[in-house]
Amino acid sequence: MDRPGQFCQSEEQGARRGPRWGARSVAGQVLLLQLATAIVLVGASVLVLVLQARHRGNQEARDRSLAVAVSFRDAPGTIAAMRSPDPSAVLQPASERMRRNAHVGYVVAFRPDGIRWSHPDPSRIGGHVTGNFAPALSGKPFQETFESALGRAVDTTVAVRDSDGSVVGLISVGVYVQSVNAQVSRQLPTLLGVAGIALALAAGAAAIVSRRLRRQTRGLGPAEMTRMYEHHDAVLHSVREGVLIIDGRGVLTLANDEASRLLDLPPDPELRHITDLGLEPGTASLLGSGRAATDEVHPAGDRLVAVNLRPVDAEGTSSGSVVTLRDTTELRVLAGRAQAARSRLRLLYDAGAQVGTTLDVVRTAEELARAVVPAFADFVTVELLDPVLRGEEPAGASTEMRRTAAAGIRDDHPLHAVGELIRFTPADPTATGVMNGHAVLQADLAASEGWIAQDPEGTGQVLDYGIHSLISAPLQARGVVLGLVAFWRSEQPPFDEDDLSFAEELTARAGVSIDNARRYTREHAMALALQHSLLPRVLPEHTSVEVASRYLPARPGVGGDWFDVIPLPGARVALVVGDVVGHGLHAAATMGRLRTAVQNFSALDLFPQDVLAHLDELVTRLDTEGDTDFEISGATCLYAIHDPSTGLCTMARAGHPGPALARPDGSVTYPDVPLSPPLGVGGGLPFEAAEIEVPDGSRLVLFTDGLIEDRGRDFDSGLELLRSALAHAERSPDATCRAVLDAMVSDGPRADDIALLVARTHLMDPSQTAYWEVPDDPAAVAGIRGEVSRRLRGWGLDDLTYSTELIVSELVTNAIRYGIPPVGLRLLHHQSKVICEVSDGSSTSPHLRLAAATDEGGRGLFLIARFAQRWGTRYRARGKVIWAEQSLRDETLASGADEDELLAQWDDSDW
């Protein structure tokens, strides 16, 4: 009788033993299945190899027969043998050798009519060949397969042609396929051996796989594994949370029903890459990244899904990720508002980067109009007060503005055109917003009576066009209204309160940019006005030169380039061009100071190098004493003096480009003028001058470096371009200026100012000049006066005889008495002037003084000052020149008063 305890124990052991035996059974089944599969694959492989070998044998037979036939045909002596009296004597042994060497079935040579010359059986020589060989007569090899007594054979027949193309004979070569297949049969044991080895390896691999399967399934049988899979599958697809399993390559390996619903996955998504499932870019990027994530919210269609991702590591490397998903649709409204806020912030950021890129009021208004179309509004218009456009400070808020910019999704809108003056009526809500400084929302324009009443016809066209909503926001800066921005919508939904706050923020930022541009416009206008006031408005007319000039300020701001034409005594003229580093008011003011200093130094009638030396000393002193807000050091200058009586031009330059000389024959040269350091940086070094001869009718061109230097060319290229522009001798100075600027100045922004001065030189007629050397004897003065009188009568200036004799007497007498020989007298008749110049070797300068009643002398220079329009002294390298200039238009010179009458007009009470 069995005991109960013993029965229960055996039942429990059986239960525990069941899964293990089940696992073994599964492993055995898997092993048998794998062995059967391997046997089938090996057998199929052997069969394929055999069939392939047979096919290759047939093909090899065809190729071998063709190769032997062609070789025999092309062998040397074949044609000669066929044309010989007894072809069989030569062809029979040759055919047999070829058959044995090539391992073919037969080689037969025969005549075009089919009579054999050779055959493996000599008894058949002379008989007619069997089979069809007519296709070979056409010239192409003819192949056919037939059944012979020795099995299937491949025959190839080729024609042998003479040099004239006629057929001499034919050659037929046959190969038995059975001989080729024999080679395949010899390889069959090797193939079977390889198949056996492959079968043994497959059996070993199946055993290893079965053992690993038993270990991984923990001894579970098929039934237990099926129930476990069904249980897990039911749980996986019934939970209200999406689950995804992604391998290390980013391929989806599992997705439950909830995940498919939340992400709207396509049917059968497994084994497809994450990027191929139609997910949002951000979601797909996260799922494929493999990084850990916790409750990251991503859009999925019309849902917001919270994503949790955990990477799975196996043996230290990432083998995939497990993802859980939750529906957070209840946060949709909040997320939508957050998205809208982000979009507005992004739009504000983009608009801030686009508006205010230049310091131009109109350009800034245009940038503002384009910045938010169509992201925020379908049309945008900008109106500014007229004082703002001029750079002035507005006196106060005004409802009269000028449309400055407009932008929209189309150009056929009925809104006011740019440039029109718009007046807002007090009943218009827009005017109320401007006066109060706040934006006004008119969500439904059709219901805005005040807006419609402003211009019933114009507003009707706007409504008919489809524009239905408006936000008007004043442009303000520092509490001052500068203008108005109107945002219009025609295709987007009407504006709301959130849009109103965005419009206010946008216009507040844009107002600062508009005000900065306005203030820059004002400062630029002031600097430009200052510079133009400091530059010569009208160049003085001078008979020795015909001048024209141009000045182009740089786009960024007003600079310090300048030029001047200064008349000098003796019919001479000074031509000056300079450049002050920097831009703005300081550069313009400094330019004015330097120009004034040059004019003052020119009044001293100094040499060009001396003028630059004094100017250099002035700049150094101003920089040292800090008399300006910035250093002047680096300013450049070119100073030239042209003498029409000699045709010589003396010039010196301090860090400035040299001049160009365009001669009457059309040639253009750049005179070699010694280059000295810029003003203020030479350390007191002396300046050098050059003296060049300028032919009559030449054009002397002075310019600043802004004309030559450009972003697109170097200095030498600029000089060559200028040379080409000046190579037209017939052009006037003004036409030359136009031609030079057209050739040298591009349409783009310039980094530096341009100053250009063109002077056409004219020489004096030698007949209008007289010169005498004066002996060192006071008695010679009377003779000199007589020579002067005769020369004046020859010029038709009898009215000036008395006053000129008096001036000559005083100057020559003083030169003989107080000067150093040699003494010379030069008389110039230059247009409406008569110039008297007395030179001597002394550097002592006379000066006008007040003579006492008891003095015998001291009144000579006073008389000269009364008779002459101007007088003065200039120094030469050795000695000096005292000059006196009389004008033919001076009424005093035409009077017949003598010296006593003039002296009677003067007494000590006049001083």
Side-chain angles (χ1 to χ4, degrees), residues 501-796:
S501 61
F502 170 80
E504 289 182 334
E505 178 66 22
L506 176 63
T507 52
R509 298 187 181 189
V512 176
S513 298
I514 294 288
D515 188 56
N516 290 338
R518 178 197 64 81
R519 296 171 67 180
Y520 171 79
T521 302
R522 180 189 61 185
E523 294 181 2
H524 182 76
M526 293 173 57
L528 194 60
L530 174 62
Q531 186 181 46
H532 283 294
S533 67
L534 296 175
L535 289 173
R537 296 186 179 181
V538 179
L539 295 177
E541 295 184 1
H542 203 281
T543 55
S544 63
V545 291
E546 178 187 354
V547 295
S549 63
R550 293 291 189 277
Y551 173 75
L552 297 179
R555 297 286 178 88
V558 177
D561 290 14
W562 53 281
F563 58 88
D564 212 341
V565 178
I566 305 173
L568 297 177
R572 298 170 303 141
V573 62
L575 306 174
V576 192
V577 171
D579 185 1
V580 177
V581 294
H583 295 86
L585 286 173
H586 295 304
T590 303
M591 176 270 292
R593 299 179 71 172
L594 294 183
R595 178 170 177 258
T596 302
V598 169
Q599 289 181 336
N600 292 334
F601 294 143
S602 299
L604 301 176
D605 208 352
L606 302 175
F607 293 108
Q609 61 268 32
D610 295 333
V611 172
L612 294 183
H614 285 292
L615 203 61
D616 179 71
E617 182 181 356
L618 172 65
V619 170
T620 302
R621 180 176 59 80
L622 292 177
D623 286 343
T624 303
E625 296 177 356
D627 197 23
T628 60
D629 293 337
F630 71 106
E631 291 187 356
I632 311 175
S633 298
T636 64
C637 182
L638 171 64
Y639 190 93
I641 296 178
H642 176 253
D643 189 347
S645 64
T646 62
L648 297 178
C649 184
T650 306
M651 57 186 67
R653 58 180 177 139
H656 200 87
L661 178 60
R663 301 179 185 273
D665 59 0
S667 62
V668 179
T669 61
Y670 294 99
D672 186 12
V673 181
L675 178 62
S676 300
L679 301 175
V681 300
L685 295 176
F687 292 85
E688 298 183 56
E691 189 175 71
I692 63 173
E693 183 178 355
V694 180
D696 187 22
S698 299
R699 288 167 296 162
L700 196 59
V701 182
L702 284 67
F703 50 86
T704 57
D705 55 0
L707 179 68
I708 302 299
E709 295 178 344
D710 191 79
R711 293 185 179 94
R713 62 173 182 262
D714 55 17
F715 194 83
D716 293 337
S717 300
L719 291 179
E720 290 302 319
L721 191 60
L722 177 60
R723 188 194 302 272
S724 301
L726 295 176
H728 298 274
E730 74 281 358
R731 288 176 178 167
S732 65
D734 190 71
T736 301
C737 287
R738 289 197 303 269
V740 168
L741 294 183
D742 291 342
M744 304 288 293
V745 180
S746 59
D747 296 333
R750 296 181 299 277
D752 198 2
D753 300 353
I754 296 176
L756 176 64
L757 183 64
V758 179
R760 185 187 295 277
T761 60
H762 301 288
L763 301 183
M764 293 180 59
D765 190 344
S767 63
Q768 301 300 107
T769 304
Y771 179 78
W772 299 274
E773 291 186 1
V774 181
D776 189 15
D777 182 5
V781 176
I784 292 297
R785 284 201 302 267
E787 293 290 339
V788 170
S789 298
R790 284 190 293 272
R791 180 53 60 98
L792 291 176
R793 285 194 297 271
W795 288 342

Side-chain angles (χ1 to χ4, degrees), residues 143-227:
Q143 287 188 324
E144 63 177 344
T145 302
F146 62 92
E147 296 293 337
S148 67
L150 298 179
R152 181 176 294 272
V154 176
D155 178 84
T156 301
T157 303
V158 295
V160 180
R161 294 180 177 272
D162 202 351
S163 59
D164 58 357
S166 62
V167 177
V168 179
L170 295 97
I171 296 173
S172 177
V173 177
V175 176
Y176 296 104
V177 179
Q178 182 178 2
S179 63
V180 179
N181 291 337
Q183 297 179 3
V184 177
S185 299
R186 288 194 295 270
Q187 297 176 358
L188 188 58
T190 304
L191 295 176
L192 294 177
V194 172
I197 294 173
L199 183 60
L201 292 176
I208 294 173
V209 171
S210 299
R211 187 179 302 108
R212 184 176 181 85
L213 179 61
R214 288 197 303 271
R215 184 171 62 254
Q216 290 184 348
T217 58
R218 302 181 184 276
L220 294 179
E224 289 81 359
M225 292 182 64
T226 301
R227 286 195 300 270

Side-chain angles (χ1 to χ4, degrees), residues 51 61 65 80 108 200-201 283 322 347 425 437 499 505 556 642 723 755 774 841 844:
L51 294 178
S65 64
V108 177
L201 292 176
T283 305
V322 176
L347 185 57
T425 62
D499 297 324
E505 178 66 22
H642 176 253
R723 188 194 302 272
V774 181
T844 303

